[in-house]
Amino acid sequence: MPKTRVNVLAKEYGMTSKEMLDHLADMKIPAKSASSTLEDAYVAMVRKKLKPILEARAAEIEAEKKAAAEKAAEEARIAREQAEKERLEAEKRREAERAEEERRRAAEEAARKKAEEERLAAEKAAAEEAERNRVKDTAPKSAPSFTSLLDQIAQQEKVLKQQAEEAASAKAAAKSGRGRKSDDRGAKHGGAPAQRGSESVAPARDNGSDAGAADGRRKGKKGRRGEEGGEDRYSRMAREAEAYNRSKVFEDARAAVEEASRESSGRRKKRKERRQKQAERAAEQQRIEEAIANDQDLSQLDIVKVPQGSTVAELSELLGVPANDIIKRLFLLGTPLTLTESMSDELIELVAEDLGRDVKVMTKEEENSFTFYDNPEDLVPRAPVVTVMGHVDHGKTSLLDAIRHTGVAEGEAGGITQAIGASQVHINGRQITFIDTPGHATFTAMRARGAKVTDIVILIVAADDGVMPQTIESINHAKAAGVPIVVAVNKIDKPGASPDKVRQELTEYGIVPEEWGGQNMFVNISAKKKVGIDELLETVLLQADVLELKGNPDTFASGNVLEAKLDKGRGSVATVLVTRGTLRVGDALVAGMTFGRVRAMLDPKGNPVTEAGPSDAVEILGLQSVPNAGDEFRVFQDDREARALADERALKARIEEQNRVKHVTLENLFATMADAEVKELSLIIKADVQGSIEALQDSLDKMDQSEVRINTIHSAVGAINETDVTLADASNAIIIGFGVRPDAKARNAADRDGVEIRCYDVIYKALEDLDAARIGMLKPTEVEVSTGTAAVLDTFKVPKVGIAAGVRIEEGEIAATDSVRLVRDGIVVYNGAIASMRHYKDEAKSLRSGMEGGIGLENFQDIKPGDLIEGYRIDRVARTE
């Protein structure tokens, strides 16, 4: 019979775990925490001792229930009476308000009619008075009617011009008339006009009457000049008055036209601004409605999401600001960029902060993920999702087999799990969803995806094997995801099993048992003999209660793809885990770069289901293509939205693939050269001594360079570092190492950027490979495969061997048959075989990561602490091109 935990016994008596622990302390029963287990004898003693308390508690609960029922009935009666009273009072108030409203409307209508009559009478009287007082204009009109003020001005100018022409013609006629009258008067008094200068002078001196006539003529001329001068002055005054009136009329007309135009443009501007504000308010309201419909957090609406590595032009478009403003700020920051150059995350955040905008830089993974906001009132408890992790062959699938009773382990190739699987079990009326991740090192990425979608991790460790490399990786993945770990120590029934040793080893990685004062629960089990399984499940449920897991089932479904495959008869089949909402048959969804409509759903046992809620794992059929494991999926209301999003993601992925830099390698050099993409081969040479660099460079210069020119862009002495890889990535070069090795950062950078690193120990081998690549005749090559790295901690003497190295394996696994190099400060000082290998005092065939042992090198004694021993083997690989 299984033991009983303190917290379970406390729930039985309706008390807290602390109260139960106090009772146990009074009864001298040992118990440390709520998760401590009690023997059957102690349980019987507690039941006997606490029986009166249980009976009293039951009576008290019954009395409380009865009192609560009576109180609820009384409150309901009072509430009904109060509601009825309030309803009657509200009805009376509404009747009075309706009557008052009718009276008010009648009074307002009467007042409005009276005011309208008074206004009409006043307007009529004012019109009659204005008609009586109006001055009748009897002058002839210069123009009959005008369509506008500008037409009036044009017509007035025409009339004034016509009057000026008439005045000018009249003046000319007057002048000609005055000349004719003067001639007539001269002929009458002094004869012909031609004779007036010669003949009339002498008689004038002799005859007094003629002198008087001459005086009269002078007076007459003077009078005429006065008359002519007066007429010119009046004419000039008339013209000035006419010009003044015309300019004043024009100025007044222009001012009136400008004022009307200004008022018209001001009204149009105000109407335009009003329409813009209305459109902005409508767009903001639509944005809020869409966010609410998509379960988005309204506080995050103003945050602009910027993809990582965006260019200046893309950031300008996303922020809605001119690109020149961004370029100006970049120039002030000392980092001038063009429109098409990418910006770092720090630059994007600095520029956005200076512009007063909130941004979030999205990584490639975050761009294809969805964010949701759930109202706490909509959340309900959900089942825990548990991931089983651990080293290969430590019993993960056997544990799930013991829980499910399905015998999964026998059907897998080699007894090793090859894909993420999901299953559901029900214990004590509660559901637990299990995810079985592969434990082999090949499936590290799949195990990482399993840790991201889980609530609790069961770390299974074999009691006879202890902590292994994949065990450590599982711990790191779980810690990175922030998931609590429950440790299951398996195979406790095997000879040599030591659960305490497992606990001791795990403390080195921060996994400390509760009984030792830590935070992690440990359970000893045997999956084969089904020992401790019930206690492990109770521990998982207890951890789930502590986490208080909740989900929102009343919304559109979203979650993650656990695994996907292409079935010959059913098409694309995907195993998905629903994290929120409810997934139903017929829903349109997007998963990564694929879309489709759910045609059918199957539970983990293969039974058809119509819907799946939070924490449910199901197989779905109907996707257009096979998604990637780990992709996030989401349900859309419309097929067109799902298809558009999937097509956009697929197009973006194709563009990124096309823009990805494809570096030159010795294998693809000839094909790349044939495509006219490469005319020269760039090399970076690193060697142990300067003489090796000069010898290799001299041999390269003597090589035929008619087809492709070999260009050494950098050469130096020392180990291959990350800076060399960065230079090779930028210049599309190959790194040649002679007697040196790359460090860990350089290897990781080369794998990430696709840069080829070739290391040689003899110069002719390097020259052969380069020449063969140049002429496109590479034969099957020998590829060096790194097996592991060991750090030398100390040295000691071994009989018949000499100086041996005490080592700890840092990564991988070094076998006794592997070739090794001894690297000191990045320089290879020895290259040969292993003479002896021991694990403590026993001979060993191999040493794995984390293990300590001794390694003796063949015919080499100069070993020092701090050296690195690199294991490798040579594989012959045939060309596939």
Side-chain angles (χ1 to χ4, degrees):
M1 181 176 181
K3 299 177 182 180
T4 304
R5 288 184 180 273
V6 173
N7 62 333
V8 175
L9 196 60
K11 289 181 181 179
E12 181 179 343
Y13 284 91
M15 61 180 65
T16 63
S17 299
K18 188 176 182 304
E19 293 174 348
M20 178 58 71
L21 289 172
D22 294 339
H23 284 294
L24 295 176
D26 294 340
M27 289 184 280
K28 309 299 183 183
I29 297 176
K32 294 182 180 179
S33 64
S35 60
S36 300
T37 57
L38 302 176
E39 299 292 341
D40 294 343
Y42 287 145
V43 174
M45 185 186 303
V46 171
R47 294 184 190 279
K48 183 178 180 181
K49 186 74 174 179
L50 299 181
K51 183 176 181 181
I53 296 177
L54 182 61
E55 293 175 352
R57 179 65 177 171
E60 183 181 350
I61 292 174
E62 187 64 28
E64 288 178 355
K65 288 183 178 178
K66 185 176 180 181
E70 292 176 354
K71 184 179 179 181
E74 182 65 20
E75 291 178 352
R77 183 184 63 78
I78 294 173
R80 287 195 298 272
E81 293 177 355
Q82 183 67 23
E84 183 64 21
K85 182 178 179 181
E86 292 176 355
R87 188 184 65 79
L88 295 175
E89 291 177 355
E91 188 65 27
K92 290 180 181 179
R93 285 196 304 271
R94 284 195 293 272
E95 289 293 336
E97 289 174 357
R98 282 196 291 269
E100 181 66 23
E101 182 67 19
E102 289 294 333
R103 288 194 297 272
R104 185 180 63 79
R105 288 181 179 177
E108 289 179 354
E109 184 65 21
R112 187 185 65 77
K113 289 183 179 180
K114 183 177 179 181
E116 183 68 20
E117 291 175 356
E118 291 177 355
R119 184 182 65 78
L120 293 175
E123 290 179 355
K124 183 177 179 182
E128 292 175 354
E129 181 68 20
E131 181 64 23
R132 286 194 301 271
N133 296 333
R134 185 173 66 83
V135 177
K136 302 297 187 295
D137 187 9
T138 58
K141 306 295 181 182
S142 60
S145 62
F146 301 95
T147 58
S148 66
L149 185 59
L150 295 177
D151 293 340
Q152 295 180 20
I153 294 171
Q155 188 65 25
Q156 186 66 23
E157 288 180 345
K158 184 178 180 180
V159 171
L160 292 175
K161 184 178 180 181
Q162 183 178 359
Q163 291 177 357
E165 291 177 353
E166 291 177 355
S169 61
K171 183 177 179 181
K175 287 182 179 181
S176 60
R178 284 195 300 271
R180 285 193 300 272
K181 289 179 181 179
S182 298
D183 294 339
D184 293 340
R185 283 193 297 271
K188 180 180 179 180
H189 293 284
Q195 298 173 355
R196 190 174 50 192
S198 59
E199 295 179 359
S200 62
V201 175
R205 286 194 297 266
D206 297 336
N207 193 348
S209 60
D210 292 337
D215 293 337
R217 284 194 300 270
R218 285 194 295 270
K219 291 179 179 179
K221 290 180 182 179
K222 184 178 179 181
R224 284 194 297 272
R225 283 196 300 270
E227 290 176 1
E228 183 178 356
E231 183 179 356
D232 291 341
R233 185 168 59 255
Y234 293 147
S235 177
R236 185 170 62 256
M237 291 172 62
R239 284 197 306 273
E240 291 176 355
E242 180 183 345
Y244 173 77
N245 291 334
R246 183 169 65 251
S247 63
K248 189 174 187 306
V249 169
F250 286 165
E251 290 176 359
D252 293 343
R254 290 193 185 94
V257 171
E258 290 177 359
E259 183 66 21
S261 176
R262 187 162 50 250
E263 291 179 358
S264 176
S265 62
R267 287 193 296 270
R268 287 197 299 269
K269 183 177 180 181
K270 290 179 180 178
R271 286 197 299 269
K272 184 177 180 181
E273 292 177 352
R274 186 165 59 252
R275 286 194 297 268
Q276 289 178 350
K277 291 181 179 179
Q278 291 175 354
E280 291 175 358
R281 285 196 296 268
E284 181 67 18
Q285 184 65 27
Q286 182 180 1
R287 191 162 69 113
I288 293 175
E289 292 175 355
E290 291 178 354
I292 295 174
N294 291 326
D295 292 346
Q296 301 295 317
D297 189 358
L298 297 182
S299 63
Q300 304 293 322
L301 284 182
D302 294 332
I303 297 179
V304 181
K305 297 180 179 179
V306 180
Q308 198 173 43
S310 296
T311 63
V312 175
E314 292 170 347
L315 182 62
S316 169
E317 183 179 356
L318 290 172
L319 296 181
V321 298
N324 289 337
D325 292 351
I326 298 177
I327 293 175
K328 178 175 66 176
R329 285 166 172 80
L330 291 173
F331 183 79
L332 294 175
L333 289 172
T335 313
L337 298 177
T338 62
L339 286 175
T340 57
E341 287 185 288
S342 297
M343 302 175 61
S344 64
D345 298 350
E346 293 78 8
L347 275 180
I348 292 174
E349 293 174 354
L350 284 173
V351 171
E353 183 180 358
D354 191 54
L355 291 171
R357 303 293 297 275
D358 293 332
V359 299
K360 180 180 179 183
V361 181
M362 308 290 290
T363 62
K364 299 299 181 183
E365 293 77 13
E366 290 175 337
E367 289 184 46
N368 293 336
S369 63
F370 303 99
T371 57
F372 305 104
Y373 174 76
D374 289 317
N375 192 334
E377 299 176 356
D378 299 333
L379 301 178
V380 298
R382 64 174 178 84
V385 179
V386 181
T387 299
V388 182
M389 288 184 167
H391 192 70
V392 60
D393 199 29
H394 274 203
K396 298 181 302 301
T397 309
S398 299
L399 172 60
L400 290 176
D401 179 41
I403 296 173
R404 300 182 306 229
H405 306 290
T406 56
V408 174
E410 289 81 358
E412 293 178 352
I416 299 177
T417 304
Q418 299 296 320
I420 289 182
S423 59
Q424 293 175 343
V425 296
H426 293 79
I427 298 103
N428 299 329
R430 299 177 63 179
Q431 175 182 306
I432 301 177
T433 300
F434 284 95
I435 299 176
D436 180 21
T437 61
H440 196 271
T442 308
F443 303 107
T444 300
M446 295 175 66
R447 182 166 54 252
R449 288 196 295 271
K452 290 179 181 178
V453 299
T454 190
D455 301 317
I456 301 171
V457 166
I458 294 179
L459 179 65
I460 189 164
V461 186
D464 62 335
D465 206 5
V467 176
M468 292 309 223
Q470 278 71 54
T471 308
I472 301 171
E473 290 179 9
S474 300
I475 294 173
N476 294 335
H477 286 311
K479 287 184 176 180
V483 181
I485 299 174
V486 175
V487 181
V489 183
N490 193 23
K491 302 182 181 181
I492 59 174
D493 57 316
K494 294 186 69 174
S498 179
D500 291 337
K501 181 182 177 182
V502 172
R503 286 171 167 81
Q504 181 65 40
E505 291 178 351
L506 287 175
T507 56
E508 299 178 6
Y509 304 99
I511 308 298
V512 183
E514 277 188 343
E515 54 266 27
W516 292 3
Q519 301 292 329
N520 299 97
M521 298 182 183
F522 278 67
V523 182
N524 296 334
I525 65 169
S526 174
K528 292 292 184 181
K529 296 187 176 181
K530 298 180 176 58
V531 176
I533 303 299
D534 294 337
E535 186 176 357
L536 177 62
L537 297 178
E538 290 176 2
T539 303
V540 170
L541 292 176
L542 180 61
Q543 184 66 58
D545 293 338
V546 173
L547 295 175
E548 296 182 354
L549 302 172
K550 293 183 178 181
N552 181 11
D554 300 326
T555 183
F556 53 84
S558 63
N560 294 87
V561 178
L562 298 180
E563 191 52 67
K565 60 183 179 180
L566 187 62
D567 191 272
K568 189 173 183 179
R570 299 184 297 171
S572 176
V573 180
T575 303
V576 300
L577 176 68
V578 181
T579 57
R580 69 186 297 274
T582 302
L583 181 63
R584 298 178 175 86
V585 175
D587 286 345
L589 59 83
V590 170
M593 292 182 290
T594 184
F595 70 96
R597 186 176 288 276
V598 180
R599 292 191 288 106
M601 284 196 301
L602 304 174
D603 64 8
K605 295 183 179 180
N607 301 320
V609 293
T610 58
E611 62 181 27
S615 300
D616 286 342
V618 292
E619 272 190 347
I620 61 173
L621 283 70
L623 296 179
Q624 299 295 324
S625 58
V626 179
N628 296 322
D631 283 345
E632 187 176 1
F633 77 87
R634 177 200 163 175
V635 169
F636 284 81
Q637 296 181 353
D638 192 355
D639 284 349
R640 290 174 294 180
E641 295 182 6
R643 183 188 295 270
L645 179 59
D647 292 344
E648 179 183 350
R649 288 180 174 179
L651 177 61
K652 188 174 182 180
R654 287 197 299 270
I655 293 175
E656 291 179 354
E657 181 66 24
Q658 292 173 358
N659 294 336
R660 186 174 300 167
V661 177
K662 296 181 180 179
H663 291 288
V664 176
T665 64
L666 293 184
E667 281 77 8
N668 65 13
L669 174 62
F670 190 72
T672 310
M673 183 182 63
D675 294 336
E677 295 182 4
V678 171
K679 295 300 183 184
E680 68 177 16
L681 174 61
S682 299
L683 298 179
I684 295 175
I685 301 175
K686 298 297 288 287
D688 51 353
V689 292
Q690 186 66 34
S692 300
I693 297 176
E694 294 175 357
L696 184 59
Q697 184 64 55
D698 184 61
S699 300
L700 293 175
D701 293 340
K702 295 177 181 179
M703 191 178 294
D704 180 17
Q705 301 192 17
S706 58
E707 298 184 21
V708 57
R709 189 171 65 87
I710 298 177
N711 179 26
T712 303
I713 62 174
H714 175 65
S715 62
V717 175
I720 300 171
N721 53 39
E722 191 175 5
T723 305
D724 299 326
V725 177
T726 303
L727 177 59
D729 181 28
S731 56
N732 198 16
I734 298 173
I735 300 177
I736 302 296
F738 190 79
V740 295
R741 304 291 301 169
D743 56 23
K745 291 184 178 180
R747 284 197 300 268
N748 295 335
D751 293 339
R752 182 183 66 248
D753 298 333
V755 174
E756 184 179 23
I757 299 177
R758 292 247 176 169
C759 297
Y760 300 94
D761 294 324
V762 288
I763 193 170
Y764 74 85
K765 187 65 176 175
L767 297 175
E768 284 181 357
D769 286 353
L770 290 172
D771 192 54
R774 183 181 58 81
I775 61 176
M777 294 177 60
L778 273 179
K779 299 176 181 178
T781 57
E782 294 180 349
V783 177
E784 178 183 302
V785 179
S786 178
T787 58
T789 304
V792 178
L793 305 179
D794 201 354
T795 60
F796 52 90
K797 292 184 178 180
V798 178
K800 300 181 181 180
V801 176
I803 301 298
V807 301
R808 181 177 60 241
I809 307 300
E810 299 292 340
E811 61 179 359
E813 181 178 358
I814 299 179
T817 57
D818 289 345
S819 299
V820 292
R821 293 187 187 88
L822 185 68
V823 182
R824 183 176 300 156
D825 298 329
I827 306 299
V828 178
V829 297
Y830 172 77
N831 191 348
I834 296 175
S836 65
M837 177 180 289
R838 290 180 178 271
H839 181 52
Y840 296 104
K841 294 183 180 181
D842 301 329
E843 289 285 344
K845 294 183 178 180
S846 64
L847 294 176
R848 288 172 290 186
S849 177
M851 297 177 64
E852 294 183 356
I855 295 178
L857 301 181
E858 194 175 74
N859 301 325
F860 190 77
Q861 305 293 318
D862 183 19
I863 305 175
K864 297 180 181 179
D867 292 345
L868 291 178
I869 297 178
E870 294 184 356
Y872 67 95
R873 67 175 186 270
I874 303 298
D875 294 343
R876 291 185 61 84
V877 178
R879 288 191 59 188
T880 58
E881 298 180 2

